[in-house]
Amino acid sequence: MTDLLDLSLADAKAKLAAKDISSTELTKAYIARMEATADLNAYITTTPDKALQMAEQADARLAKGEGGALEGIPLAIKDLFCTEGVLTTAASHILDGFIPPYESTVTTNLWSAGAVLLGKTNLDEFAMGSSNVTSYYGPVENPWRSTDQPDKKRVPGGSSGGSAAVVAARSALAATGTDTGGSIRQPASFSGIVGLKPTYGRCSRWGIVAFASSLDQAGPMARTVEDAAILLQSMAGHDPKDSTSAAEAMPDLSAALNQGVKGMRIGVPAEYKVDGLPDEISKVWQQGIDWLKAEGAEIVDISLPHTKYALATYYIIAPAEASSNLARYDGVRYGLRVDGGSLAEMYANTRAEGFGDEVQRRVLIGTYVLSAGYYDAYYLKAQKVRALLRRDFDQAFEKVDAILTPTAPSDAFAIGENEDDPVKMYLQDVFTVPASLAGLPGISVPAGLSARGLPMGLQVLGRMFDEGSVVRVGRALERAADFKAVPAMVREG
């Protein structure tokens, strides 16, 4: 069983096609592992019966020499994607009992490719958070423990912390995540896995519970760059049901994976060298630069002058869009209802009980910046700064093919450590937010361990719709880093 769990997605795919293993065997191994790692609280809903049924159907297709690109591959799905007939909560009390009568486009694509549903993973409520502690269903534990405080539980990052934790703990072969301001890349860094945020519009948002509509983007979380690329190929595609879905053709990412970086120009932005950046983060960044230089890449110093305004801009635009999107949760049509003496009181009671503190905080911020008298001063100004940030990247990409930065400003912190300081928590997104505002693709690749024995990641950013260059550089870093460390709970079985 351990051997099955050690297979990468690419290896499992090859063995399934060759009939060396069956999807049923593989799925049973992951179901057993889900049960063994239940204490991590990484799944909100598990679907073992459905998984075995889907695996049997995949085996039947494989036996006939048929099947899609992910035939028989067991996956975990972030509980932000609507799944027909399976509880979908967005980790919020307000969606209690919501079972969608429809399937999101991304998961539809995955099931059409033959993938198997293991279950729905935990997340920060409505994807609002950087630690996975805001979930109504409780915090997710990172399977990694620090060497200096092994008994202290760590966050897996957020909001896609459940997806990151199940991939790191070997309780899913790969998983879907969503990234609004870094929610795929930052938990990938904290959990020692690969997280790929595609270009905005690359994956349909239809059927994904909305946080901030101009920022939300689905993407893969996996053990290797190749696995992430394989998963993205099936997730992506134009969708007429989503007006923001891009009609741009998806390139064959497998062709870019092993091209190397010789002759590529890699930008290093001065503005990402922020005050107070821990020494070990700076060192792993420099190590990444040295690796790429040794592989024949040219390192180019670049400037992204409006970076310093990115976090403030994001925390105006994202809450503004959230306050609009979350207005639909009123206790009338689905989910939680808390009665009151009037319709207005029922709305207020339902939202007060149904939304957690962080969601309420962001809704209030968003409502404020959109209110009369403040719209021009805050929201409109933030949109103008966003355009300047995008221009900074456009100008940088006239000189370089990709950009290299740290993924996060720290390794995984302890559960509860930053909960009393929302601003400190928001600073976790300092390196990931700028690319989200610009709609650019980015990947986080594990690059080493901190002094405390916790993973640290490097981030590669590319031009819009140039995921090929992103995975090309990511794969070069992965080869150089040769990151084979796994959490102790995986080593010990």
Side-chain angles (χ1 to χ4, degrees):
M1 185 180 290
T2 305
D3 290 344
L4 288 174
L5 298 180
D6 286 339
L7 293 173
S8 68
L9 189 154
D11 290 340
K13 184 172 145 69
K15 284 185 176 292
L16 285 165
K19 301 183 180 60
D20 293 336
I21 60 171
S22 71
S23 177
T24 300
E25 286 177 88
L26 190 61
T27 301
K28 283 181 176 176
Y30 275 102
I31 290 170
R33 184 64 179 163
M34 283 195 301
E35 293 168 355
T37 57
D39 287 352
L40 295 176
N41 196 34
Y43 282 98
I44 290 174
T45 302
T46 57
T47 56
D49 293 341
K50 186 177 181 68
L52 288 172
Q53 182 184 29
M54 294 174 81
E56 287 168 8
Q57 292 167 351
D59 284 333
R61 288 189 291 269
L62 287 164
K64 296 176 189 173
E66 300 171 356
L70 295 172
E71 201 64 54
I73 297 293
L75 301 177
I77 302 297
K78 184 176 181 178
D79 201 16
L80 208 62
F81 293 79
C82 288
T83 41
E84 184 177 359
V86 178
L87 181 69
T88 299
T89 70
S92 180
H93 187 28
I94 209 162
L95 275 173
D96 272 2
F98 175 56
I99 298 177
Y102 55 89
E103 192 82 32
S104 79
T105 297
V106 165
T107 50
T108 296
N109 291 346
L110 292 173
W111 311 147
S112 296
V116 170
L117 172 63
L118 289 169
K120 307 290 289 293
T121 57
N122 207 342
L123 63 145
D124 281 299
E125 185 182 7
F126 282 103
M128 298 181 193
S130 303
S131 59
N132 219 145
V133 298
T134 70
S135 170
Y136 173 70
Y137 297 91
V140 175
E141 293 176 24
N142 194 325
W144 290 84
R145 296 286 185 267
S146 64
T147 52
D148 60 335
Q149 297 174 311
D151 296 330
K152 189 170 277 193
K153 295 170 182 176
R154 303 270 153 188
V155 303
S159 65
S160 306
S163 290
V166 299
V167 175
R170 303 294 194 266
S171 47
L173 186 45
T176 63
T178 63
D179 194 307
T180 304
S183 290
I184 286 174
R185 292 160 288 160
Q186 185 252 17
S189 179
F190 277 14
S191 302
I193 65 165
V194 173
L196 173 56
K197 181 196 95 72
T199 305
Y200 178 78
R202 184 64 93 181
C203 294
S204 172
R205 293 187 300 108
W206 195 86
I208 299 174
V209 179
F211 166 13
S213 301
S214 74
L215 294 158
D216 297 345
Q217 185 57 204
M221 306 182 79
R223 292 181 209 162
T224 70
V225 174
E226 182 181 18
D227 288 359
I230 291 169
L231 194 52
L232 180 58
Q233 294 278 177
S234 292
M235 292 173 67
H238 179 249
D239 180 10
K241 297 193 293 292
D242 175 7
S243 62
T244 62
S245 176
E248 193 85 14
M250 184 73 186
D252 179 7
L253 297 181
S254 62
L257 276 172
N258 295 307
Q259 287 182 1
V261 294
K262 189 173 183 179
M264 291 188 78
R265 295 165 300 167
I266 309 297
V268 176
E271 290 77 12
Y272 281 53
K273 296 168 184 173
V274 296
D275 292 340
L277 186 66
D279 233 17
E280 57 190 0
I281 301 291
S282 296
K283 283 178 180 173
V284 80
W285 188 11
Q286 184 58 54
Q287 180 66 77
I289 292 168
D290 293 342
W291 283 331
L292 295 178
K293 199 184 291 186
E295 291 289 322
E298 179 188 349
I299 305 301
V300 180
D301 291 327
I302 60 170
S303 178
L304 300 168
H306 293 91
T307 295
K308 60 184 175 182
Y309 305 116
L311 267 183
T313 300
Y314 175 84
Y315 280 104
I316 290 171
I317 292 172
E321 295 183 11
S323 73
S324 176
N325 279 323
L326 270 61
R328 72 192 68 177
Y329 303 107
D330 51 19
V332 174
R333 288 156 291 186
Y334 45 76
L336 181 72
R337 175 184 293 189
V338 182
D339 290 329
S342 66
L343 184 63
E345 192 175 305
M346 186 268 282
Y347 284 173
N349 290 347
T350 299
R351 288 166 176 164
E353 187 171 323
F355 290 145
D357 290 346
E358 183 59 30
V359 173
Q360 291 188 37
R361 182 183 295 116
R362 296 198 194 195
V363 167
L364 287 169
I365 292 169
T367 304
Y368 177 80
V369 300
L370 290 175
S371 61
Y374 297 102
Y375 180 91
D376 289 351
Y378 292 100
Y379 184 72
L380 193 59
K381 189 173 285 185
Q383 292 289 14
K384 290 177 179 177
V385 175
R386 184 180 191 176
L388 294 173
L389 281 159
R390 172 68 187 276
R391 189 179 70 183
D392 286 350
F393 279 109
D394 288 343
Q395 290 173 346
F397 282 119
E398 290 174 5
K399 304 173 187 174
V400 300
D401 301 305
I403 294 171
L404 179 69
T405 78
T407 306
S410 72
D411 57 10
F413 49 88
I415 291 175
E417 193 172 305
N418 294 331
E419 285 182 57
D420 59 346
D421 188 347
V423 174
K424 192 172 181 182
M425 197 76 86
Y426 296 165
L427 286 170
Q428 286 296 320
D429 299 329
V430 66
F431 297 134
T432 53
V433 154
S436 293
L437 287 166
L440 303 176
I443 194 169
S444 178
V445 178
L449 297 176
S450 68
R452 298 188 292 179
L454 297 170
M456 299 182 292
L458 287 171
Q459 174 181 232
V460 180
L461 305 176
R463 298 180 182 90
M464 288 193 80
F465 302 109
D466 189 13
E467 285 84 1
S469 290
V470 169
V471 299
R472 184 178 168 188
V473 179
R475 180 72 183 103
L477 289 169
E478 181 179 60
R479 276 199 308 263
D482 196 25
F483 186 85
K484 292 179 179 168
V486 293
M489 66 180 300
V490 173
R491 291 197 304 274
E492 294 160 7

